[in-house]
Amino acid sequence: MINVIMHGCNGMMGHMISDLMKEDVQAKIVAGIDINDTQNYDYPVFSSLESCTVRADVIIDFASVKGIEALLDYCVKEQVPVVLCTTGLSEEQMQKVEEASKKVAVLKSANMSLGINTLLNLLQKAAQVFAPAGFDMEIVERHHSKKLDAPSGTALALADSIRDALDGDYHYVYDRTQEKKRREKSEIGISAVRGGTIVGEHEVIFAGTDEVIEFRHTAYSKAVFGKGAIQAAKYLAGKPAGYYNMSHVIEGE
């Protein structure tokens, strides 16, 4: 049985993961961390990691970006692997993540969905076929109206996956209104839609002459991200220091 600390337990994803893990026979949450230390669960909740008296095999983080530095310092000091699910990290924070991964196991992914991370691998193979054949590549992502960042981290991860698979200098185009000109073959277009309560939709389009191939992933509930985080925690527990991602979880490396 893997013991987990839920960092950000009283947030939306903290609640969801706590409910999902009630039925899990391989892992359990033994403590929660949240500024709002209301005891909503059958495990103790602490207002900070420093005040936590419970040991665990791994931490799942779905808290605020403001707490990333303190979380990483704690994980390095106590040698507790961490699954980082919080998005919107700055360049300085990402550098700290990389530094911490040299001393403790850290798993970071732009999207915790198993489906999205499988799609990342499929897109690399598709891009190697369609890009040399002259297909244009576009990504359209749709999220709820309250999402702050655009394009989404997942859209950027999809674009990165495509670009990494290709030879040549490909660049991203986010806004075509500023320059009136025909698109270049080296472009990967990324468009963002914000509205309503859309959980998350990502569409990758390979558009050629007389044919279009589309890859689409739709999240109907945030539970897909919670399930992926739990799988990642099970994978990461006991792993040596290093920088891991969801591809490691899927491939079981």
Side-chain angles (χ1 to χ4, degrees), residues 231-248:
Q231 288 300 112
K234 293 176 183 178
Y235 167 84
L236 199 64
K239 288 291 188 296
Y243 202 151
Y244 301 84
N245 57 45
M246 288 299 287
S247 293
H248 295 105

Side-chain angles (χ1 to χ4, degrees), residues 195-211:
T197 58
I198 301 171
V199 174
E201 296 180 8
H202 293 85
E203 180 181 13
V204 183
I205 303 166
F206 293 92
T209 302
D210 299 328
E211 63 178 332

Side-chain angles (χ1 to χ4, degrees), residues 212-223:
V212 175
I213 297 91
E214 299 180 3
F215 292 82
R216 181 191 297 271
H217 178 274
T218 301
Y220 293 102
S221 164
K222 290 183 180 294

Side-chain angles (χ1 to χ4, degrees), residues 7 49 59 61 67-76 82-84:
H7 191 245
L49 283 163
I59 295 175
D61 165 61
I68 288 295
E69 288 86 352
L71 170 63
L72 292 172
D73 289 342
Y74 174 89
C75 290
V76 169
V82 59
V83 177
L84 288 177

Side-chain angles (χ1 to χ4, degrees), residues 114-124 158 215-217:
L114 295 173
I116 281 289
N117 285 279
T118 301
L119 179 58
L120 290 171
N121 293 331
L122 294 174
L123 287 178
Q124 291 198 327
L158 294 170
F215 292 82
R216 181 191 297 271
H217 178 274

Side-chain angles (χ1 to χ4, degrees), residues 141-145 147-152 192-196 198:
E141 56 98 343
R142 304 174 182 87
H143 285 86
H144 53 86
S145 59
K147 185 172 179 61
L148 300 179
D149 55 323
S152 68
V193 176
R194 295 289 175 269
I198 301 171

